[in-house]
Amino acid sequence: MSLSASLSIAVQSLNAADGALQATNNNIANANTPGYTRKVVVLQEAPSTTEGNLSAGNGVDLTGYQSVRDELLQTQINQETQAQGSANAQLSSLQQIEPTFTTSTQDIWTEMSALFSSISTLSTDPASSSSRQAVLASGQDLATAFNQASNTLTSQQAGLNTQVTQDVGQINQLTKQIAALNPQLAALKANGQDGGTLQDQQDELVLKLSALTNVSVTQTQDGETVTTGNGTALVAGSQSFALQAEAGSDGMQHVLDQSGNDITSSFTGGDLGGTIQTRDTTIPGLLNQLDTLANQFATAINAAQATGYDQNGDAGQNLFTVSSTVAGSAASITMATTDPTAIAASSDGTSGSNGNLANLSAVQTNTLASGQTPGDAYASLVYQVGSLTSSANAESTATTASLLQLNDQLSSVSGVSIDEESANLITYQQAYEAAARVVSTIQSLFTVTMSMGTAAAE
Amino acid sequence: MRVTNMIPDVQYAMQQSQQNLSTAELQVSTGLRVNQLSDDPAASANMVSSLASSANVDQYTSNITYLLPQMQTADSAISSIVTSLNSAITLGTSGASSTLLTANKQSIASQVQSVLSNVISLANTSSSGVYVFGGSATSTPPFVAASETYTSAQGSAGTPLTTATALNAGSVTTISDATTGQTMTYKAVAGDTIATLQAAVSSAVSAGTLSAGTTAAINANGQLSISTNSSTAGIVVSSNDAALGSMTAASGSAVANAYAYVGNSSVNTVQVGDSMNVATNLPGNQLLTSGANVIGSLTGLISALQSGTTDEIGSATTAVSAALTYVGQQRVPLDSTINEMNSQESYLSQEKITLTTQQTALVGVNLTTAATNLSQAELDNNAVLAAAAKALPQTLLDYLK
């Protein structure tokens, strides 16, 4: 083997060490970059040279760089991110609804209880104008509590409706970016090359998309195909298919696919899924219970009023004004009168009788049309809000812990370890120094050889 | 397993630890285990009924606090009436002596008249502005001195009322008869006139609500005059009809020793327990003009003393004795109710404690446990922070310097 051949091997070693140092450098630089997958240098022994019976090695070839990935873990992380996005969206809304249904102050039950207390106080002195005024004030407070609870729910629903539009906009941006990367990645893979940074970018985009909605990702020769829960294509090759948010007849934003089909109900995961679940199922359910309670309670009080006489001896009139249909009752319930004499306390038409107040008080313990007492109906509402919030909180906590574990696992495969890279740095530095020493040695040998020639000539 | 980046795990551990610390601090500072519905949905739901029970207990206690003095006032008044009746019986017994001079009997009659006046005064007892023997008509004295004739404020010789004078719909005119002890209540409807009222009075006479001879007529001054046309019977008339104006007793028409009950017979009941309602009033007509008729017996004794025979005075005294017995009987349920309310007040006080204990068990926290949890959470948090401080800065680079 000639000195020139040895020099060539040394230069290859320098290149390999330099390339490895570059990979290490890049890993260290991106140690905290979200979505970055560590790169390793791919070294291969150069084909040996055979002369007669002698086979000599030809050094090392740097054949490329390889990203260290685990597609299965990445898929699991995407799925868990979808679950987390949905749970967090629901939790955020429910935590804002929860204080409305406390059992402490100014909530519906406290005000309802105050109304019955004021009716009981009136029974001790039914002619008392101050006691009558107190009943009206308590009734007004209760109506206001119903109005505010309904307003909280509908405001929350309106906010979620806006969120649907925003989520759809973000989804469209992400699918567009994912589609744009597909041709480049397909070309790299067609040449047998690693996706590298482009694949990192696309994986990160898919992760962001998973935080917004439930999607399925499949690999094709044209790149990644992304579909929604019901199979609607969002990305296929270089094409992305934008979703549309459009107001429906119910006043809510509905999500339409590119063909105009309403696919709102197919979104179950991610922020969009959680938002739609809360907007279209959870809040309407709570509103219906609230409206039912308001409507049936007002109807029962009005019916009790009708069995008695007011302070003027006239037949009792409605105390509450409430819509004839259940829907919207909590929002619209108001006091029907501001006249204290209108309270039908009397059972015989005399102004001092309190006989009918027992009928008004009985509304507290009698079952409403729903089969529940007002207290039981409100307790049911309290339990449901608490239970929904608790479940969403538990789901959020569980998915966070699960994601942490999955990310740890993925990081153990794809993440950058500064310690490891530091060790690699030393290894490749030493390799570079050794190769440089070889070059230096060969240079010395060349010099000696050249000197031998000069000495012979002299 | 390669460990690449401990920061996310350390951050998560710190978040969890701080969350636990925050929860422990909140529980200690509020004394509550359940600070929001989601902390324990079932306990929160159970609190609804428990709080309702507490509110009811508070309200029942408040009702008793309000009613008890009123009922004790009524009981005290009845006790005084009993004393007065005993005094009348003593006077009647002394007046029934055959050797007594007429002048002495007249003197005793005057004393019994004072007893009657005192009984009427006691029957008009009020507590905090509430007339306790008026039935459900508690805002005005229930017993009023009766007169033979009442006339309306409206109407004059120049512009007389007529039978065609329209009455205001919804107005109420009442005629309380001292003799029958009953009250006619007339509520005008649209289209009614004085003629309609006159017809109502005639019907009430026929029905026995008003004494025979009671009439409603336009007098020479053009006023509506409602009269009993009897020197022994009396009435009390009131009206809120603007067409008539207020009804006032005609001058000089007062009937001696005649009092009309202008209250009503209604008995109000008030809830003082989940399944306990108590009658809060004893109508004056039930106490003093029904049954043995206290007022009637005293009036009879006065008449007997003024002009009756010894036997008649004796009989009248016996009637007062019967009235005394009757009043005693009427007092029994009132006393019983007062005792029940006192017992109920004690029960409610205990029930309040029971409910508070129940609520503490539902949403409260054992302070010893909470303090221990807080101490443990602080310890855990410090440990997590110390571990993070130890682990995070350590890299290979530190040893390569």
Side-chain angles (χ1 to χ4, degrees):
Chain A
M1 183 176 284
S2 67
L3 281 176
S4 297
S6 295
L7 184 60
S8 176
I9 290 172
V11 170
Q12 280 180 318
S13 296
L14 283 173
N15 283 340
D18 188 35
L21 281 169
Q22 194 177 341
T24 302
N25 184 23
N26 195 48
N27 283 343
I28 291 172
N30 287 288
N32 296 315
T33 303
Y36 178 75
T37 304
R38 73 185 170 105
K39 308 293 184 294
V40 292
V41 65
V42 182
L43 301 176
Q44 192 175 1
E45 183 182 1
S48 58
T49 305
T50 305
E51 290 180 11
N53 291 330
L54 188 62
S55 178
N58 273 329
V60 63
D61 285 339
L62 192 161
T63 61
Y65 298 100
Q66 180 72 46
S67 298
V68 184
R69 301 181 189 284
D70 187 325
E71 297 294 343
L72 179 61
L73 275 173
Q74 189 63 52
T75 302
Q76 287 177 325
I77 286 174
N78 289 345
Q79 288 172 347
E80 207 61 31
T81 302
Q82 292 166 19
Q84 187 191 40
S86 173
N88 286 349
Q90 293 181 59
L91 181 60
S92 173
S93 293
L94 286 164
Q95 281 178 331
Q96 292 177 57
I97 291 169
E98 196 178 13
T100 306
F101 298 96
T102 61
T103 50
S104 52
T105 53
Q106 296 185 320
D107 66 291
I108 290 167
W109 184 244
T110 304
E111 301 301 359
M112 199 180 279
S113 207
L115 174 62
F116 286 119
S117 290
S118 67
I119 289 171
S120 186
T121 298
L122 180 60
S123 73
T124 62
D125 186 3
S128 166
S129 59
S130 62
S131 294
R132 284 175 171 270
Q133 195 65 55
V135 172
L136 286 184
S138 299
Q140 181 57 56
D141 289 344
L142 174 60
T144 303
F146 269 119
N147 298 158
Q148 287 177 343
S150 177
N151 186 47
T152 298
L153 290 172
T154 49
S155 297
Q156 196 61 233
Q157 199 174 28
L160 294 170
N161 202 34
T162 306
Q163 187 63 41
V164 167
T165 309
Q166 291 175 353
D167 281 351
V168 166
Q170 288 182 42
I171 288 169
N172 288 340
Q173 276 187 343
L174 290 169
T175 52
K176 198 173 174 182
Q177 291 170 341
I178 292 168
L181 290 171
N182 265 344
Q184 301 172 58
L185 280 165
L188 284 173
K189 286 177 183 173
N191 293 331
Q193 289 183 276
D194 182 60
T197 306
L198 291 177
Q199 188 64 59
D200 289 351
Q201 287 176 8
Q202 193 172 55
D203 285 350
E204 188 66 7
L205 291 170
V206 170
L207 185 64
K208 285 180 180 172
L209 187 61
S210 295
L212 288 172
T213 184
N214 50 315
V215 289
S216 296
V217 179
T218 50
Q219 298 287 346
T220 67
Q221 60 181 9
D222 294 329
E224 290 186 343
T225 297
V226 183
T227 57
T228 64
N230 71 339
T232 301
L234 294 176
V235 176
S238 61
Q239 266 194 305
S240 66
F241 305 96
L243 299 174
Q244 293 173 12
E246 194 172 290
S249 56
D250 57 358
M252 295 295 161
Q253 291 289 322
H254 288 241
V255 184
L256 311 180
D257 66 14
Q258 206 176 35
S259 305
N261 299 314
D262 189 340
I263 56 170
T264 310
S265 61
S266 70
F267 295 98
T268 55
D271 188 76
L272 181 61
T275 299
I276 288 173
Q277 166 75 18
T278 310
R279 184 195 69 172
D280 293 352
T281 305
T282 305
I283 290 180
L286 295 174
L287 259 179
N288 182 51
Q289 281 191 56
L290 188 67
D291 285 337
T292 302
L293 176 58
N295 188 281
Q296 293 183 350
F297 179 82
T299 303
I301 288 287
N302 289 344
Q305 273 277 113
T307 61
Y309 299 89
D310 66 17
Q311 205 169 14
N312 300 318
D314 297 321
Q317 301 297 311
N318 286 350
L319 205 57
F320 289 104
T321 301
V322 70
S323 62
S324 56
T325 55
V326 168
S329 291
S332 63
I333 186 172
T334 57
M335 291 297 286
T337 179
T338 55
D339 179 8
T341 65
I343 296 162
S346 172
S347 56
D348 58 12
T350 60
S351 63
S353 165
N354 74 355
N356 194 51
L357 289 177
N359 292 326
L360 285 165
S361 293
V363 173
Q364 185 179 17
T365 49
N366 289 346
T367 55
L368 301 171
S370 63
Q372 292 179 303
T373 64
D376 289 344
Y378 186 73
S380 173
L381 198 52
V382 162
Y383 178 80
Q384 198 167 354
V385 171
S387 180
L388 285 166
T389 311
S390 179
S391 296
N393 194 25
E395 176 74 6
S396 175
T397 305
T399 52
T400 300
S402 176
L403 263 178
L404 184 74
Q405 192 176 1
L406 287 169
N407 277 317
D408 279 349
Q409 289 179 24
L410 184 65
S411 180
S412 76
V413 176
S414 306
V416 175
S417 164
I418 294 292
D419 289 349
E420 188 178 87
E421 299 302 332
S422 299
N424 286 343
L425 198 63
I426 294 167
T427 303
Y428 298 134
Q429 183 185 359
Q430 287 176 340
Y432 191 92
E433 283 176 5
R437 180 64 60 87
V438 171
V439 171
S440 176
T441 303
I442 292 171
Q443 185 190 18
S444 299
L445 291 173
F446 267 125
T447 304
V448 171
T449 306
M450 296 289 282
S451 300
M452 285 170 64
T454 306
E458 288 174 353
Chain B
M1 181 175 173
R2 294 173 70 242
V3 177
T4 56
N5 189 353
M6 287 195 293
I7 290 178
D9 294 80
V10 170
Q11 283 177 333
Y12 181 76
M14 285 195 292
Q15 282 170 3
Q16 291 296 109
S17 163
Q18 280 163 0
Q19 178 64 49
N20 292 341
L21 184 59
S22 170
T23 302
E25 283 173 346
L26 186 64
Q27 288 188 351
V28 169
S29 60
T30 62
L32 296 173
R33 177 180 60 85
V34 181
N35 284 288
Q36 49 200 3
L37 306 186
S38 53
D39 287 341
D40 189 339
S44 299
N46 286 333
M47 274 295 282
V48 172
S49 61
S50 186
L51 287 172
S53 297
S54 276
N56 285 342
V57 164
D58 289 343
Q59 187 55 45
Y60 298 149
T61 305
S62 170
N63 289 353
I64 290 173
T65 303
Y66 179 85
L67 291 171
L68 208 47
Q70 196 172 300
M71 296 177 76
Q72 284 166 338
T73 299
D75 186 57
S76 175
I78 294 173
S79 175
S80 298
I81 288 172
V82 166
T83 304
S84 295
L85 290 177
N86 275 320
S87 167
I89 291 166
T90 304
L91 289 168
T93 304
S94 63
S97 170
S98 57
T99 60
L100 210 60
L101 298 174
T102 303
N104 291 335
K105 289 181 183 176
Q106 292 295 333
S107 173
I108 292 170
S110 295
Q111 292 178 54
V112 177
Q113 273 184 323
S114 296
V115 169
L116 174 59
S117 297
N118 188 42
V119 167
I120 293 300
S121 175
L122 289 166
N124 286 335
T125 295
S126 67
S127 171
S128 302
V130 172
Y131 288 91
V132 296
F133 296 115
S136 63
T138 57
S139 56
T140 55
F143 287 92
V144 178
S147 294
E148 278 186 65
T149 303
Y150 270 74
T151 55
S152 64
Q154 295 294 335
S156 62
T159 53
L161 298 175
T162 69
T163 54
T165 299
L167 298 177
N168 293 300
S171 67
V172 176
T173 302
T174 60
I175 306 172
S176 300
D177 193 308
T179 307
T180 65
Q182 297 183 58
T183 297
M184 183 205 92
T185 301
Y186 169 78
K187 186 171 186 179
V189 298
D192 278 5
T193 61
I194 287 177
T196 322
L197 174 59
Q198 288 174 317
V201 170
S202 295
S203 296
V205 170
S206 300
T209 306
L210 299 178
S211 300
T214 305
T215 58
I218 308 298
N219 64 19
N221 294 324
Q223 299 163 303
L224 176 66
S225 174
I226 299 177
S227 171
T228 60
N229 198 26
S230 164
S231 60
T232 55
I235 55 172
V236 174
V237 182
S238 71
S239 178
N240 64 359
D241 195 313
L244 301 177
S246 61
M247 300 294 293
T248 54
S251 177
S253 73
V255 180
N257 304 322
Y259 296 90
Y261 179 66
V262 297
N264 60 40
S265 303
S266 295
V267 177
N268 282 338
T269 59
V270 169
Q271 194 170 10
V272 294
D274 285 341
S275 53
M276 184 177 180
N277 293 285
V278 294
T280 60
N281 62 314
L282 181 57
N285 58 346
Q286 182 185 330
L287 179 67
L288 300 177
T289 63
S290 299
N293 197 339
V294 172
I295 295 174
S297 67
L298 288 172
T299 305
L301 180 57
I302 293 166
S303 295
L305 285 166
Q306 285 174 335
S307 58
T309 63
T310 301
D311 288 344
E312 285 171 339
I313 294 170
S315 296
T317 303
T318 303
V320 174
S321 294
L324 174 63
T325 304
Y326 174 76
V327 169
Q329 290 168 348
Q330 295 299 305
R331 191 182 176 187
V332 171
L334 181 64
D335 285 347
S336 173
T337 301
I338 290 171
N339 288 335
E340 283 176 18
M341 287 171 75
N342 279 320
S343 300
Q344 180 69 0
E345 196 170 26
S346 300
Y347 167 77
L348 290 172
S349 175
Q350 187 57 46
E351 182 69 4
K352 180 73 178 173
I353 294 169
T354 303
L355 285 167
T356 305
T357 306
Q358 181 191 66
Q359 286 157 17
T360 302
L362 277 174
V363 299
V365 67
N366 180 307
L367 277 179
T368 307
T369 307
T372 307
N373 290 343
L374 177 59
S375 176
Q376 185 64 45
E378 284 173 339
L379 195 65
D380 290 349
N381 192 45
N382 288 338
V384 168
L385 293 175
K390 192 84 174 170
L392 288 179
Q394 284 191 346
T395 70
L396 179 60
L397 293 173
D398 296 322
Y399 298 93
L400 296 177
K401 288 174 184 172

